[in-house]
């Protein structure tokens, strides 16, 4: 997840810092087109990442002789259900990137929000008094154990993560289209 946080958080603020955003936007590509194309390029990268992990995990299962316990369908279902979670993280980081013009701030906001949510989830799970906190974290809604071990896909959580990803994407797009870019 750290790789994704670093990759997505620098989406636009690094180009603003390097003063290359003006060159990119001097082409016929609109801000909307730039934002959407960058987002879709990373979605393609996410899909390659997921496909790679499906192959690697299943090869690992085969190498230890546990294919009777774990099917390729189990691995595939688990990793595909990871996509909405990654897209939500991507949306969060891209939003942080367009809100600030400084990469260190974008990285700090992205890492802070992600790990802050993980802490909220941990507190919510460990303490009955604070159990409501876990619902404020996107990390709570993708649970490897339920999907992989129990074989249950929590469709409500998948839909919620998908909705969060869409909302964060639209918020980032809206801000990027209206933002004054420093030259």
């Amino acid at each position: 997840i750290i790789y994704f946080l670093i990759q997505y958080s620098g989406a636009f603020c690094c180009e603003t810092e390097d003063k290359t955003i003006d060159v990119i936007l001097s082409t016929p590509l609109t801000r909307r087109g730039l934002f959407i194309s960058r987002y879709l390029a990373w979605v393609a990268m996410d899909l390659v990442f997921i496909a790679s992990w499906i192959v690697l995990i299943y090869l690992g299962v085969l190498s230890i002789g546990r294919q009777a316990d774990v099917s390729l369908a189990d691995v595939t279902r688990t990793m595909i259900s990871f996509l909405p979670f990654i897209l939500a993280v991507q949306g969060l980081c891209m939003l942080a990137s367009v809100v600030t013009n400084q990469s260190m701030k974008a990285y700090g906001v992205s890492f802070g929000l992600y790990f802050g949510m993980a802490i909220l989830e941990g507190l919510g799970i460990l303490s009955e008094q604070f159990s409501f906190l876990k619902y404020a974290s996107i990390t709570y809604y993708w649970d490897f154990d339920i999907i992989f071990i129990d074989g249950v896909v929590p469709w409500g959580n998948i839909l919620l993560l998908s909705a969060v990803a869409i909302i964060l994407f639209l918020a980032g797009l809206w801000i990027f289209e209206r933002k004054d870019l420093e030259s």
Side-chain angles (χ1 to χ4, degrees), residues 90-161:
Q90 181 176 327
L92 174 78
C93 293
M94 288 184 76
L95 180 60
S97 184
V98 299
V99 166
T100 180
N101 290 334
Q102 297 175 338
S103 59
M104 293 311 290
K105 283 184 182 178
Y107 295 137
V109 167
S110 297
F111 274 80
L113 286 173
Y114 181 82
F115 289 109
M117 286 187 286
I119 290 169
L120 288 177
E121 178 189 6
L123 286 172
I125 290 171
L126 294 174
S127 170
E128 285 186 31
Q129 181 181 2
F130 297 108
S131 65
F132 64 93
L133 291 176
K134 65 186 174 195
Y135 301 112
S137 173
I138 62 171
T139 60
Y140 173 75
Y141 297 98
W142 189 76
D143 189 344
F144 173 86
D145 292 339
I146 291 172
I147 300 165
F148 188 70
I149 296 171
D150 299 337
V152 175
V153 177
W155 291 109
N157 291 0
I158 300 297
L159 291 173
L160 179 69
L161 285 170

Side-chain angles (χ1 to χ4, degrees), residues 4-150:
F4 290 118
L5 290 170
I6 291 170
Q7 183 69 27
Y8 303 143
S9 296
F12 296 101
C13 58
C14 290
E15 289 164 350
T16 303
E17 279 182 336
D18 297 342
K19 310 272 190 246
T20 57
I21 194 78
D22 293 333
V23 174
I24 294 168
L25 292 174
S26 68
T27 67
L29 188 62
T30 64
R31 285 186 186 209
R32 176 181 294 245
L34 174 62
F35 191 90
I36 292 171
S37 64
R38 175 117 351 126
Y39 186 86
L40 292 177
W42 281 331
V43 169
M45 184 186 75
D46 297 340
L47 292 172
V48 168
F49 168 82
I50 287 171
S52 301
W53 274 100
I54 290 170
V55 169
L56 291 173
I57 291 170
Y58 196 66
L59 287 176
V61 167
L62 292 176
S63 72
I64 60 172
R66 301 293 297 224
Q67 61 270 25
D69 299 330
V70 179
S71 70
L72 182 58
D74 294 336
V75 175
T76 302
R77 178 181 50 248
T78 303
M79 291 311 299
I80 288 175
S81 69
F82 188 53
L83 183 62
F85 175 77
I86 289 297
L87 293 178
V89 170
Q90 181 176 327
L92 174 78
C93 293
M94 288 184 76
L95 180 60
S97 184
V98 299
V99 166
T100 180
N101 290 334
Q102 297 175 338
S103 59
M104 293 311 290
K105 283 184 182 178
Y107 295 137
V109 167
S110 297
F111 274 80
L113 286 173
Y114 181 82
F115 289 109
M117 286 187 286
I119 290 169
L120 288 177
E121 178 189 6
L123 286 172
I125 290 171
L126 294 174
S127 170
E128 285 186 31
Q129 181 181 2
F130 297 108
S131 65
F132 64 93
L133 291 176
K134 65 186 174 195
Y135 301 112
S137 173
I138 62 171
T139 60
Y140 173 75
Y141 297 98
W142 189 76
D143 189 344
F144 173 86
D145 292 339
I146 291 172
I147 300 165
F148 188 70
I149 296 171
D150 299 337

